[in-house]
Amino acid sequence: MFIRIVKMSFHEANIPLFLENFNQIKEQIRGSKGNCLLELYQDQQNPCIFFTYSYWETPEDLENYRQSALFDSVWTFTKKLFNDKPEAWSVDKLVSLT
């Protein structure tokens, strides 16, 4: 399992549009084959910055999602709302304490 972290920065006026769309499609993303967890975070210091954390069983599962019609529609809508270039990381979890 690995984690995909995506940092997105939006124009303030576009935040409600992003959140509305995310709430409409989050279950579909979470239901994608190989997706084990989907979380959305908002920065405390700059409310225009959001992060998604998604846990995937394999890199191939993430790539299949990224090649899907669902991702294409989500990304086509979302990228128009940005005020800065998004950043993304694929990371392996080394330690988790609960």
Side-chain angles (χ1 to χ4, degrees), residues 4-20:
R4 180 73 167 180
I5 304 168
V6 180
K7 177 185 177 187
M8 301 168 288
S9 185
F10 296 95
H11 294 283
E12 187 173 353
N14 292 338
I15 292 172
L17 292 170
F18 166 70
L19 291 174
E20 179 182 348

Side-chain angles (χ1 to χ4, degrees), residues 1-38:
M1 181 183 319
F2 76 101
I3 302 164
R4 180 73 167 180
I5 304 168
V6 180
K7 177 185 177 187
M8 301 168 288
S9 185
F10 296 95
H11 294 283
E12 187 173 353
N14 292 338
I15 292 172
L17 292 170
F18 166 70
L19 291 174
E20 179 182 348
N21 188 62
F22 185 84
N23 283 322
Q24 290 176 359
I25 50 89
K26 64 187 177 189
E27 297 295 331
Q28 294 174 40
I29 297 170
R30 176 58 185 90
S32 296
K33 181 182 180 301
N35 182 269
C36 305
L37 178 83
L38 176 64

Side-chain angles (χ1 to χ4, degrees), residues 10-77:
F10 296 95
H11 294 283
E12 187 173 353
N14 292 338
I15 292 172
L17 292 170
F18 166 70
L19 291 174
E20 179 182 348
N21 188 62
F22 185 84
N23 283 322
Q24 290 176 359
I25 50 89
K26 64 187 177 189
E27 297 295 331
Q28 294 174 40
I29 297 170
R30 176 58 185 90
S32 296
K33 181 182 180 301
N35 182 269
C36 305
L37 178 83
L38 176 64
E39 297 178 320
L40 177 65
Y41 300 95
Q42 187 175 26
D43 189 83
Q44 289 184 346
Q45 301 300 315
N46 182 346
C48 293
I49 296 176
F50 290 79
F51 298 87
T52 57
Y53 277 56
S54 55
Y55 287 40
W56 298 88
E57 289 181 18
T58 68
E60 294 77 23
D61 290 328
L62 172 60
E63 189 56 31
N64 288 337
Y65 165 66
R66 293 184 72 220
Q67 298 302 319
S68 72
L70 173 59
F71 178 83
D72 185 54
S73 67
V74 169
W75 199 244
T76 298
F77 177 84

